Amino acid sequence: MQPKSSIVHLPVYQPGKSVDEVKRELGLDRIIKLASNENPFGCSPHAKEAMRQEIDNASIYPDGAAVALTAAIAEKFNVDTNQIVFGAGSDEVILMLCRAFLVAGDEQITADQTFPQYKHNGDIEGAVTVEVPLKDGTHDLDAMLAAVTERTKLIWICNPNNPTGTIIGRAELERFMERVPERVLVVLDEAYCEYVTDESFPDGLEYLPQYKNLITLRTFSKIYGLASLRIGYGIGHPDVIRLINQVREPFNTSRFAQAAALAAVHDQAFIEECRRLNAEGIRYVQEQFARLQLSSFPAHGNFIMVDVGHPAQQVFEALMRKGIITRAGHKKYPTNIRITIGSREQNEAMIEALEASLAEFKVGI
């Protein structure tokens, strides 16, 4: 059998360790997972009820066009329904963008430490990914613009950036969009935008009327707490959305996902409370890092990236032995781990475990 030559050497995506996996490996009863940026407060109770009501329809295909959910998103953001495309998580919208726009030899531009699926899906299509170094953990938009060539098709901007949690501001984005060639599609991945409280943060939706070559990605996996249902979406110019729909698989989002997302959209009180609790958690964790004399990037999502001063994999393993699952393996930041902001109880347990782990390393030295 002969696979596509472009995939032969691709790494397989490695998700964070699951709770059950760590329990089995280490024989622990209590595990706190702070590895995958999931919402520790779950999802709206209205979303849960909507899922329960869908059980009797499990044998029926979902609405392939997600008409009701599309209408709700269009109303919420004051856009037309033909500006929206849904995917099995925003991950699938990323995949569809690469499928729709990239062929072998094309180029796309990303940061050198960002969500890896941009490069992964570009590699599958045989495209070349130009990785531009972050500047203080933040997208260097001037350098990204300078990397544009005649072969550039896509530019990916993760805002807030995963894994560093940093943001680019409104003025920076506006200056960038004014200069980027109209033939290049800018993908603004705003998976964590609902968590941001910084007033300088630009809402990508505001720029859609002006720029046909801009699309914003959103998801129900993060603040909405529907990660297991796999549903996200893109909003852009109707011509761009039509092209994405031409490569979209039929029935790509489930009945349960559509029903839960529709109910969740109408419960913004839940979202506001999650935003408040997350901001409170960030403040607490940052205060504790300062006490421990650990430096971290500014956190604008629901996670924080901290320099633990030792090889990240070793600290990751030490924390896991204490029942705390975090995320290591960021090649450009070998002594940094990414930690999801949890509930107050989870955050306190994480800090206690981290302090104990670092003390063990000090004794070992």
Side-chain angles (χ1 to χ4, degrees):
M1 294 182 290
Q2 296 296 321
K4 290 172 68 171
S5 60
S6 60
I7 74 162
V8 173
H9 301 293
L10 286 185
V12 176
Y13 180 78
Q14 297 296 322
K17 282 183 172 287
S18 70
V19 170
D20 290 340
E21 183 181 3
V22 175
K23 283 183 175 180
R24 287 194 303 270
E25 286 182 2
L26 301 178
L28 299 173
D29 294 324
R30 180 174 181 260
I31 299 293
I32 297 174
K33 184 185 177 190
L34 301 175
S36 301
N37 302 342
E38 296 149 329
N39 188 340
F41 309 108
C43 66
S44 163
H46 300 294
K48 294 178 184 178
E49 180 57 32
M51 285 185 275
R52 281 190 283 267
Q53 292 181 11
E54 277 300 317
I55 291 175
D56 290 339
N57 296 322
S59 62
I60 302 171
Y61 280 112
D63 175 2
V67 171
L69 182 56
T70 299
I73 293 296
E75 180 180 5
K76 175 176 173 55
F77 294 120
N78 193 30
V79 297
D80 294 330
T81 55
N82 63 356
Q83 291 183 254
I84 303 167
V85 61
F86 280 92
S90 54
D91 306 51
E92 191 191 21
V93 185
I94 293 168
L95 180 154
M96 291 188 288
L97 280 161
C98 291
R99 181 185 289 182
F101 287 96
L102 298 177
V103 297
D106 284 342
E107 293 181 358
Q108 61 172 3
I109 298 171
T110 74
D112 68 341
Q113 190 71 77
T114 191
F115 188 48
Q117 292 306 99
Y118 312 142
K119 183 180 187 303
H120 180 83
N121 283 290
D123 288 348
I124 290 172
E125 303 302 329
V128 175
T129 300
V130 178
E131 297 179 274
V132 175
L134 294 172
K135 187 176 181 179
D136 299 325
T138 305
H139 284 72
D140 187 343
L141 296 188
D142 288 337
M144 295 179 86
L145 191 64
V148 173
T149 71
E150 290 299 316
R151 293 187 296 274
T152 305
K153 289 283 194 69
L154 299 173
I155 299 177
W156 302 88
I157 300 173
C158 188
N159 201 34
N161 185 46
N162 177 13
T164 56
T166 57
I167 60 172
I168 57 169
R170 187 176 296 106
E172 298 166 89
L173 179 63
E174 290 174 357
R175 183 168 177 267
F176 176 79
M177 289 304 303
E178 288 171 358
R179 296 186 297 158
V180 72
E182 293 181 1
R183 60 178 173 79
V184 177
L185 180 61
V186 177
V187 186
L188 195 58
D189 187 346
E190 299 180 306
Y192 299 93
C193 65
E194 292 92 353
Y195 283 111
V196 181
T197 59
D198 191 307
E199 292 184 356
S200 72
F201 181 73
D203 183 345
L205 294 168
E206 296 179 9
Y207 302 97
L208 295 182
Q210 185 176 355
Y211 296 105
K212 179 179 178 178
N213 62 327
L214 177 67
I215 181 171
T216 175
L217 308 185
R218 306 284 177 97
T219 184
F220 285 94
S221 296
K222 303 306 177 185
I223 201 168
Y224 284 93
L226 300 177
S228 69
L229 297 184
R230 310 310 302 125
I231 186 161
Y233 57 99
I235 305 179
H237 190 278
D239 292 348
V240 174
I241 299 302
R242 184 181 69 252
L243 293 170
I244 300 170
N245 268 315
Q246 287 176 314
V247 301
R248 181 175 60 83
E249 297 296 326
F251 309 117
N252 64 323
T253 58
S254 71
R255 295 187 69 97
F256 291 95
Q258 291 182 32
L262 182 60
V265 165
H266 293 302
D267 188 2
Q268 288 301 308
F270 176 81
I271 301 305
E272 290 293 336
E273 180 65 2
C274 290
R275 181 186 295 111
R276 184 189 69 79
L277 291 170
N278 182 74
E280 184 179 283
I282 288 174
R283 285 192 296 272
Y284 167 77
V285 170
Q286 288 176 329
E287 288 168 359
Q288 295 303 308
F289 287 165
R291 178 178 64 82
L292 296 173
Q293 297 183 316
L294 300 176
S295 63
S296 60
F297 287 108
H300 295 281
N302 68 331
F303 56 92
I304 189 165
M305 195 171 186
V306 59
D307 188 342
V308 290
H310 301 276
Q313 187 64 30
Q314 294 180 17
V315 178
F316 163 82
E317 291 171 358
L319 286 170
M320 191 166 60
R321 289 192 293 269
K322 294 176 172 57
I324 308 293
I325 311 175
T326 58
R327 188 78 162 177
H330 305 103
K331 61 182 180 180
K332 299 296 179 179
Y333 299 96
T335 60
N336 283 251
I337 58 175
R338 191 194 69 189
I339 304 172
T340 304
I341 301 299
S343 66
R344 179 70 183 212
E345 179 185 7
Q346 291 172 333
N347 294 334
E348 289 176 349
M350 179 274 293
I351 292 295
E352 180 181 353
L354 179 60
E355 186 169 12
S357 296
L358 294 178
E360 292 169 4
F361 278 103
K362 187 176 293 186
V363 170
I365 293 173

